[in-house]
């Protein structure tokens, strides 16, 4: 079986598909991954064949920056509904579809798998009659947002003599859902065929090591991250200052494009890094403080860790809602933020066992979800 995987350039959209790609390769299937030139390196590092497709360089970053800038006038909880159709629909879909179509004609995949924000694959599948599978990168995306994206991509579908299907063409043959039901905040009843898939965060391909502060001592370790998109938020230094006053060890990441020095001089129990392998860190920490981005949110839950969620945009509000409902998280919305509130929330999660118990319940649920090898079998049945 030949499988063409496609994704937008965000690491949070790429990483969730690594387990499936590896499982396909282990089962003897051919895998080719199409994504922006800017995002090819981590895929190639994992031994997966990559081809460049879609926007890259200045065109990519300039276009995405324009959408994000316009979204600043939208209240944070409504930004996902504004950004998704404009960024992933109008901006990224036409050039991605233009590159994917000749690639698919030449490589002739048996099935195409696209992450939930890459909307060129459904069009190419429709033109060539190839089954398409939508892979979640977190919780489900509200159908109203997908309907708005349909309007944005409709002109590209018409160029090929096709009417855009519901949900911007997503869920053509299958939806691979990596979000455990206990924290799923969007109903999935509108999706014809859903296959649960265990969210598994893969370690980095090389041992990047862990900072010395991760070594256990008597104090709990609190991990702080705002991911790779919200990492420049002015909230971050205030969070770090709040936690520096507690009798805990603190590990902070500022993102690959961040500067640890931007947070100023820190006490010995606070360590600032550009990046760490979260999969390893989760094995050592007691509480996670984050923006509730899907990768961190699901990864922490899979490790049974309670969280302080500071949602800022995108799907973070939906994730935070799910964590709150499951009893595994404390949520501090943008308008409620205070340094004292962050410190109090961390102390609460460290002293109230109910949050850790709830997180461990979600971890057990995740462990019961089907592994990637089972999803491979489902994909194989689509093409037989």
């Amino acid at each position: 079986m030949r499988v063409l995987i496609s994704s937008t350039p965000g690491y949070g959209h790429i990483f969730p598909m690594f387990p499936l790609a590896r499982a396909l390769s282990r089962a003897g299937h051919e895998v080719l991954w199409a994504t922006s030139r800017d995002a090819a390196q981590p895929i190639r590092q994992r031994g997966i064949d990559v081809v460049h497709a879609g926007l890259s360089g200045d065109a990519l970053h300039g276009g995405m920056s324009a959408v994000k800038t316009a979204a600043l006038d939208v209240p944070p909880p409504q930004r996902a509904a504004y950004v998704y159709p404009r960024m992933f629909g109008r901006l990224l879909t036409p050039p991605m579809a233009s590159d994917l179509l000749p690639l698919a004609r030449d490589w002739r995949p048996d099935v195409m798998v696209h992450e939930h924000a890459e909307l060129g694959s459904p069009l190419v599948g429709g033109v060539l009659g190839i089954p398409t599978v939508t892979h979640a990168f977190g919780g489900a995306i509200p159908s109203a947002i997908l309907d708005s994206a349909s309007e944005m991509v409709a002109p590209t579908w018409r160029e090929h003599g096709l009417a855009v299907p519901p949900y911007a063409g997503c869920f053509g043959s299958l939806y691979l859902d990596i979000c455990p039901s206990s924290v799923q905040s969007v109903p999935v009843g509108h999706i014809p065929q859903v296959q649960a898939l265990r969210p598994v965060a893969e370690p980095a391909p090389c041992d990047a090591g862990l900072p010395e502060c991760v070594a256990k001592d008597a104090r709990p370790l609190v991990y702080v991250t705002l991911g790779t998109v919200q990492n420049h938020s002015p909230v971050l230094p205030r969070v770090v200052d709040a936690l520096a006053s507690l009798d805990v060890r603190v590990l902070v990441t500022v993102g690959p494009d961040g500067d640890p020095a931007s947070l100023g001089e820190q006490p010995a129990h606070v360590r600032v890094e550009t990046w760490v392998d979260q999969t390893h860190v989760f094995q050592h920490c007691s509480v996670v403080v984050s923006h509730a981005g899907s990768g961190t949110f699901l990864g922490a839950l899979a490790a049974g860790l309670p969280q302080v969620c500071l949602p800022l945009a995108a799907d973070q509000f939906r994730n935070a809602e799910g964590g709150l409902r499951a009893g595994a998280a404390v949520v501090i919305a943008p308008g409620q933020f205070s340094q004292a509130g962050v410190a109090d929330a961390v102390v609460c999660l460290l002293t109230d066992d109910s949050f850790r118990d709830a997180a461990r319940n979600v971890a057990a649920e995740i462990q019961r979800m089907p592994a990637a090898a089972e999803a491979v079998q489902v994909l194989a049945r689509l093409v037989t």
Side-chain angles (χ1 to χ4, degrees):
M1 179 171 62
R2 283 189 156 193
V3 183
L4 179 58
I5 297 176
S6 58
S7 65
T8 57
Y11 283 8
H13 296 228
I14 290 172
F15 282 26
M17 295 199 291
F18 282 144
L20 177 63
R22 285 194 179 278
L24 285 162
S25 296
R26 284 194 294 266
H29 302 293
E30 294 184 68
V31 177
L32 181 62
W33 196 309
T35 192
S36 169
R37 182 185 301 272
D38 296 57
Q41 183 178 1
I43 302 169
R44 191 172 290 115
Q45 284 178 334
R46 287 162 172 80
I48 303 169
D49 291 336
V50 188
V51 63
H52 302 149
L55 290 181
S56 63
D58 292 343
L60 171 66
H61 298 293
M64 294 178 70
S65 178
V67 175
K68 292 176 184 177
T69 299
L72 293 177
D73 293 330
V74 179
Q78 282 78 57
R79 284 179 188 167
Y82 179 89
V83 169
Y84 182 97
R86 289 165 177 81
M87 181 177 293
F88 301 120
R90 184 167 60 195
L91 175 67
L92 298 184
T93 294
M96 188 66 168
S98 179
D99 289 342
L100 275 181
L101 186 55
L103 170 64
R105 281 192 173 121
D106 180 61
W107 199 66
R108 303 174 68 86
D110 298 297
V111 63
M112 300 176 68
V113 180
H114 66 105
E115 53 93 355
H116 209 175
E118 197 295 283
L119 303 178
S121 181
L123 169 57
V124 173
V127 171
L128 301 181
I130 301 171
T132 58
V133 173
T134 305
H135 193 303
F137 55 81
I141 295 173
S143 57
I145 294 180
L146 292 174
D147 289 342
S148 296
S150 292
E151 298 177 12
M152 299 292 183
V153 301
T156 307
W157 282 75
R158 285 196 295 268
E159 290 176 6
H160 296 276
L162 298 174
V164 61
Y167 316 121
C170 294
F171 323 127
S173 297
L174 182 67
Y175 177 54
L176 297 175
D177 185 4
I178 66 170
C179 186
S181 59
S182 61
V183 296
Q184 177 70 268
S185 60
V186 175
V188 297
H190 61 288
I191 303 175
Q193 187 174 355
V194 179
Q195 169 66 44
L197 176 61
R198 186 187 309 157
V200 178
E202 291 200 342
C206 60
D207 183 7
L210 292 175
E212 291 181 3
C213 69
V214 174
K216 289 186 177 180
D217 64 21
R219 297 170 298 176
L221 175 65
V222 179
Y223 172 53
V224 181
T225 179
L226 295 186
T228 58
V229 176
Q230 305 297 331
N231 53 314
H232 297 289
S233 169
V235 166
L236 184 58
R238 298 180 65 193
V239 170
V240 176
D241 287 347
L243 300 185
S245 65
L246 300 179
D247 187 24
V248 298
R249 293 169 294 140
V250 182
L251 174 61
V252 186
T253 58
V254 295
D257 64 342
D259 179 8
S262 66
L263 294 181
E265 186 175 353
Q266 296 296 329
H269 65 288
V270 178
R271 179 64 177 262
V272 184
E273 300 281 341
T274 54
W275 178 90
V276 294
D277 189 330
Q278 287 188 160
T279 306
H280 291 147
V281 172
F282 288 152
Q283 299 172 19
H284 299 273
C285 68
S286 300
V287 169
V288 175
V289 180
S290 84
H291 58 313
S294 292
T296 302
F297 177 72
L298 292 178
L301 287 175
L305 296 173
Q307 306 177 54
V308 178
C309 296
L310 309 170
L312 298 169
D315 58 349
Q316 298 155 22
F317 290 93
R318 301 195 297 270
N319 291 336
E321 177 187 341
L324 180 66
R325 190 180 64 250
V330 172
V331 178
I332 302 177
Q336 302 170 334
F337 180 87
S338 71
Q339 290 179 254
V342 172
D344 290 344
V346 169
V347 171
C348 178
L349 295 186
L350 289 172
T351 56
D352 186 341
D353 290 340
S354 67
F355 290 96
R356 181 170 296 278
D357 292 342
R360 287 173 174 168
N361 287 338
V362 180
E365 179 186 356
I366 289 173
Q367 191 58 36
R368 292 191 298 268
M369 295 171 73
E374 296 182 48
V376 170
Q377 297 176 11
V378 174
L379 293 185
R381 289 196 290 270
L382 291 177
V383 301
T384 56

